[in-house]
Amino acid sequence: MSKSYSFRLLFAICMLLYSIGCNQSPQEQSAPPPSTVTVATPVKKQIVEWDAYTGRLEAIEFVEIRSRVGGYLQSIHFDEGQVVDKGDLLFIIDPRPFEAELNDANASLRQAESQLLQAKAQMEEAKATQQQSNAQLTLAETRVVRVRDLRQQEVTTQDELDQLEAEYLQAQADAASSLAGISSANAAIAIANAAIDSAKAKIETAKLNLQYTKITAPVTGRISREYITEGNLVTGGTATSSLLTTITSVQPIYCVFDANEQEVLKYTRLAMAGRRESSRVAKNPVYLSLVDETDYPHEGHMDFVDNRFDTDTASMRARCVFPNKDQVLMPGMFARIRIPGSSQYEAILIPDSAIGTDQNSQYVYVVVDDVVERRAVTVGPIVDGLRVVRDGLNGDETLIIEGLLLARPDSKVQIQEGTIEVVEDGLPDSYEPLPPEKWISPEPDPLPEDDNAITSSADQGGGE
């Protein structure tokens, strides 16, 4: 069969099929069935928006144990890594040099007290001499006056008058000398008193240095290892004194975190509107979770908010405190914390799978009379595993939660009922600032009594 014949046969068959198709009457094609989607009603419940942060645990009290005096380390009296109580004996520095200093200071005190007794005896002697000199001066003055009257009457000689006047001048000199003796005795007493005060100060210093040879725990907490062993020379009393060990308090414990400017401004605006008390003035509750915990079992409260932003990080440092009775929280750990970011209110919650994104906007699909409608929404954070809808829904809609890609606006769909599951995150749906009886923040030290007295006198007297 030739190629030309085959081509003509194929062309004839195609024309025949075309003519058959053209002569056939058109039939209506059946429309595809509507897509099936799963719908549910949004969840409406009272919530609190708990803002999440990552913080680091810090000890409330961290003390580097250093010696205040130098000497040889004589003994160590603690188990490394254990909890010690405030006042427990930790180290002993060889006390013998300081005992010798105390004995020397006591000897100096006794010497100064002897000098004081000697000066007082000199004072008594000077006073007796003064009395004698005053008596001689009075006698000499009386004789001179009498003899002068007799000399005017030419009853006595000039030589006798000159002799009595000389005795009178000698009595005046003796009286002045006795006054000088009293002044000298007073100076000796003052010097002796100063020596006594100096000796007493040396005794106090020696007692303190001797007391410092016994190094005790200044706080209750967990102690580290011993950095210096027995027999080594320890330097003390300076900024570079030998570090012996460290102690960290264990309960309660701090957790510090940083908030950026936007978050701080949000809390400020809420406080100004009266919708959330500022953590500067109220002890708002805080919940903490460790790396191996799924919920937030540790409850504490806010303790401190800094007074400025860090210029390097553009963030503000804040701190919360936890009781840590089981001592699971340890300094240096990272922790997830949640603080109240709003007051309690009724919110609309939907799953993230029901939310679509179109460029810069977000939307959901709802079904009204089996027809899909698109609704623009404004969303917030996730609470109990669901997304908060701030605007766009009233909570009564039939929301498409599955099959979002099968739905198109203004198209008909078949619906099947589904459920929106709420996954509790262990955080409460309401809160109140903690009352004072539940505060666990360390209280400041009381003012010294001397400072109170100074303050009172200043308030009453008033300076120029």
Side-chain angles (χ1 to χ4, degrees), residues 42 47 105 113 122 128 149 256 278 308 317 321 401 431 444:
I47 68 164
E113 290 174 344
Q122 291 177 357
D149 292 339
V256 297
S278 172
R308 60 184 292 273
R317 177 62 54 92
V321 60
I401 60 174
Y431 78 95

PDB file of all heavy atoms in Angstrom, residues 42 47 105 113 122 128 149 256 278 308 317 321 401 431 444:
ATOM      1  N   PRO A  42     -17.007  28.808  66.709  1.00  0.00           N
ATOM      2  CA  PRO A  42     -15.846  29.249  67.502  1.00  0.00           C
ATOM      3  C   PRO A  42     -16.105  29.115  69.000  1.00  0.00           C
ATOM      4  O   PRO A  42     -17.239  29.184  69.473  1.00  0.00           O
ATOM      5  CB  PRO A  42     -15.657  30.704  67.088  1.00  0.00           C
ATOM      6  CG  PRO A  42     -16.269  30.797  65.728  1.00  0.00           C
ATOM      7  CD  PRO A  42     -17.435  29.844  65.743  1.00  0.00           C
ATOM      8  N   ILE A  47     -10.642  34.429  79.237  1.00  0.00           N
ATOM      9  CA  ILE A  47      -9.211  34.130  79.188  1.00  0.00           C
ATOM     10  C   ILE A  47      -8.415  35.293  79.758  1.00  0.00           C
ATOM     11  O   ILE A  47      -8.930  36.386  79.994  1.00  0.00           O
ATOM     12  CB  ILE A  47      -8.742  33.846  77.746  1.00  0.00           C
ATOM     13  CG1 ILE A  47      -8.827  35.129  76.915  1.00  0.00           C
ATOM     14  CG2 ILE A  47      -9.499  32.712  77.115  1.00  0.00           C
ATOM     15  CD1 ILE A  47      -8.044  35.070  75.626  1.00  0.00           C
ATOM     16  N   ALA A 105      48.084  44.486 122.977  1.00  0.00           N
ATOM     17  CA  ALA A 105      47.167  45.603 123.163  1.00  0.00           C
ATOM     18  C   ALA A 105      46.683  45.691 124.601  1.00  0.00           C
ATOM     19  O   ALA A 105      46.552  46.792 125.156  1.00  0.00           O
ATOM     20  CB  ALA A 105      45.971  45.454 122.211  1.00  0.00           C
ATOM     21  N   GLU A 113      46.954  52.920 131.655  1.00  0.00           N
ATOM     22  CA  GLU A 113      46.227  53.129 132.907  1.00  0.00           C
ATOM     23  C   GLU A 113      47.190  53.492 134.035  1.00  0.00           C
ATOM     24  O   GLU A 113      46.859  54.330 134.899  1.00  0.00           O
ATOM     25  CB  GLU A 113      45.431  51.870 133.250  1.00  0.00           C
ATOM     26  CG  GLU A 113      44.249  51.633 132.307  1.00  0.00           C
ATOM     27  CD  GLU A 113      43.561  50.309 132.566  1.00  0.00           C
ATOM     28  OE1 GLU A 113      44.168  49.449 133.253  1.00  0.00           O
ATOM     29  OE2 GLU A 113      42.436  50.121 132.082  1.00  0.00           O
ATOM     30  N   GLN A 122      50.429  63.310 140.154  1.00  0.00           N
ATOM     31  CA  GLN A 122      51.077  64.585 139.893  1.00  0.00           C
ATOM     32  C   GLN A 122      50.100  65.743 140.052  1.00  0.00           C
ATOM     33  O   GLN A 122      50.461  66.817 140.550  1.00  0.00           O
ATOM     34  CB  GLN A 122      51.673  64.579 138.487  1.00  0.00           C
ATOM     35  CG  GLN A 122      52.850  63.645 138.319  1.00  0.00           C
ATOM     36  CD  GLN A 122      53.362  63.623 136.884  1.00  0.00           C
ATOM     37  OE1 GLN A 122      52.802  64.273 136.002  1.00  0.00           O
ATOM     38  NE2 GLN A 122      54.439  62.877 136.666  1.00  0.00           N
ATOM     39  N   ALA A 128      48.501  70.563 145.835  1.00  0.00           N
ATOM     40  CA  ALA A 128      49.018  70.842 147.172  1.00  0.00           C
ATOM     41  C   ALA A 128      50.068  71.941 147.122  1.00  0.00           C
ATOM     42  O   ALA A 128      50.112  72.860 147.973  1.00  0.00           O
ATOM     43  CB  ALA A 128      49.605  69.573 147.795  1.00  0.00           C
ATOM     44  N   ASP A 149      53.792 100.584 155.474  1.00  0.00           N
ATOM     45  CA  ASP A 149      53.198 101.585 156.374  1.00  0.00           C
ATOM     46  C   ASP A 149      54.213 102.010 157.442  1.00  0.00           C
ATOM     47  O   ASP A 149      54.331 103.211 157.771  1.00  0.00           O
ATOM     48  CB  ASP A 149      51.948 101.022 157.040  1.00  0.00           C
ATOM     49  CG  ASP A 149      50.825 100.807 156.035  1.00  0.00           C
ATOM     50  OD1 ASP A 149      50.862 101.450 154.951  1.00  0.00           O
ATOM     51  OD2 ASP A 149      49.894  99.980 156.298  1.00  0.00           O
ATOM     52  N   VAL A 256      15.148  36.529  86.045  1.00  0.00           N
ATOM     53  CA  VAL A 256      15.229  37.817  85.362  1.00  0.00           C
ATOM     54  C   VAL A 256      14.958  37.622  83.880  1.00  0.00           C
ATOM     55  O   VAL A 256      15.304  36.588  83.293  1.00  0.00           O
ATOM     56  CB  VAL A 256      16.597  38.484  85.581  1.00  0.00           C
ATOM     57  CG1 VAL A 256      16.817  38.796  87.045  1.00  0.00           C
ATOM     58  CG2 VAL A 256      17.728  37.602  85.076  1.00  0.00           C
ATOM     59  N   SER A 278       0.174  47.977  87.029  1.00  0.00           N
ATOM     60  CA  SER A 278       1.591  47.911  86.697  1.00  0.00           C
ATOM     61  C   SER A 278       2.328  47.019  87.686  1.00  0.00           C
ATOM     62  O   SER A 278       2.053  47.021  88.886  1.00  0.00           O
ATOM     63  CB  SER A 278       2.201  49.313  86.706  1.00  0.00           C
ATOM     64  OG  SER A 278       3.608  49.257  86.570  1.00  0.00           O
ATOM     65  N   ARG A 308      15.148  52.072  83.557  1.00  0.00           N
ATOM     66  CA  ARG A 308      15.603  52.583  82.261  1.00  0.00           C
ATOM     67  C   ARG A 308      15.791  51.427  81.283  1.00  0.00           C
ATOM     68  O   ARG A 308      15.885  50.266  81.679  1.00  0.00           O
ATOM     69  CB  ARG A 308      16.934  53.341  82.402  1.00  0.00           C
ATOM     70  CG  ARG A 308      18.067  52.472  82.946  1.00  0.00           C
ATOM     71  CD  ARG A 308      19.339  53.261  83.165  1.00  0.00           C
ATOM     72  NE  ARG A 308      19.906  53.687  81.911  1.00  0.00           N
ATOM     73  CZ  ARG A 308      20.747  52.955  81.178  1.00  0.00           C
ATOM     74  NH1 ARG A 308      21.093  51.733  81.584  1.00  0.00           N
ATOM     75  NH2 ARG A 308      21.240  53.412  80.055  1.00  0.00           N
ATOM     76  N   ARG A 317      15.018  45.491  81.880  1.00  0.00           N
ATOM     77  CA  ARG A 317      15.183  44.323  82.725  1.00  0.00           C
ATOM     78  C   ARG A 317      14.059  44.274  83.774  1.00  0.00           C
ATOM     79  O   ARG A 317      13.717  45.288  84.385  1.00  0.00           O
ATOM     80  CB  ARG A 317      16.551  44.354  83.403  1.00  0.00           C
ATOM     81  CG  ARG A 317      16.846  43.232  84.388  1.00  0.00           C
ATOM     82  CD  ARG A 317      16.825  41.865  83.735  1.00  0.00           C
ATOM     83  NE  ARG A 317      17.680  41.741  82.602  1.00  0.00           N
ATOM     84  CZ  ARG A 317      18.942  41.317  82.646  1.00  0.00           C
ATOM     85  NH1 ARG A 317      19.482  41.005  83.806  1.00  0.00           N
ATOM     86  NH2 ARG A 317      19.655  41.190  81.539  1.00  0.00           N
ATOM     87  N   VAL A 321      10.061  36.479  91.362  1.00  0.00           N
ATOM     88  CA  VAL A 321      10.602  35.683  92.454  1.00  0.00           C
ATOM     89  C   VAL A 321       9.687  34.489  92.697  1.00  0.00           C
ATOM     90  O   VAL A 321       8.462  34.588  92.573  1.00  0.00           O
ATOM     91  CB  VAL A 321      10.763  36.542  93.727  1.00  0.00           C
ATOM     92  CG1 VAL A 321       9.436  37.109  94.184  1.00  0.00           C
ATOM     93  CG2 VAL A 321      11.432  35.757  94.845  1.00  0.00           C
ATOM     94  N   ILE A 401     -13.309  24.729  59.537  1.00  0.00           N
ATOM     95  CA  ILE A 401     -12.072  24.418  60.256  1.00  0.00           C
ATOM     96  C   ILE A 401     -11.220  23.388  59.522  1.00  0.00           C
ATOM     97  O   ILE A 401     -10.024  23.264  59.797  1.00  0.00           O
ATOM     98  CB  ILE A 401     -12.384  23.915  61.676  1.00  0.00           C
ATOM     99  CG1 ILE A 401     -13.244  22.654  61.642  1.00  0.00           C
ATOM    100  CG2 ILE A 401     -13.055  25.006  62.493  1.00  0.00           C
ATOM    101  CD1 ILE A 401     -13.458  22.024  63.014  1.00  0.00           C
ATOM    102  N   TYR A 431      -6.973  36.319  87.200  1.00  0.00           N
ATOM    103  CA  TYR A 431      -5.907  36.520  88.180  1.00  0.00           C
ATOM    104  C   TYR A 431      -6.172  37.800  88.957  1.00  0.00           C
ATOM    105  O   TYR A 431      -6.929  38.672  88.524  1.00  0.00           O
ATOM    106  CB  TYR A 431      -4.542  36.602  87.492  1.00  0.00           C
ATOM    107  CG  TYR A 431      -4.276  37.938  86.835  1.00  0.00           C
ATOM    108  CD1 TYR A 431      -3.581  38.941  87.504  1.00  0.00           C
ATOM    109  CD2 TYR A 431      -4.735  38.214  85.551  1.00  0.00           C
ATOM    110  CE1 TYR A 431      -3.352  40.172  86.925  1.00  0.00           C
ATOM    111  CE2 TYR A 431      -4.510  39.432  84.956  1.00  0.00           C
ATOM    112  CZ  TYR A 431      -3.814  40.415  85.639  1.00  0.00           C
ATOM    113  OH  TYR A 431      -3.587  41.635  85.058  1.00  0.00           O
ATOM    114  N   PRO A 444      13.747  44.833 102.816  1.00  0.00           N
ATOM    115  CA  PRO A 444      15.002  45.577 103.038  1.00  0.00           C
ATOM    116  C   PRO A 444      15.395  45.557 104.503  1.00  0.00           C
ATOM    117  O   PRO A 444      14.560  45.374 105.395  1.00  0.00           O
ATOM    118  CB  PRO A 444      14.654  46.993 102.559  1.00  0.00           C
ATOM    119  CG  PRO A 444      13.163  47.076 102.667  1.00  0.00           C
ATOM    120  CD  PRO A 444      12.645  45.697 102.378  1.00  0.00           C
TER     121      PRO A 444
END
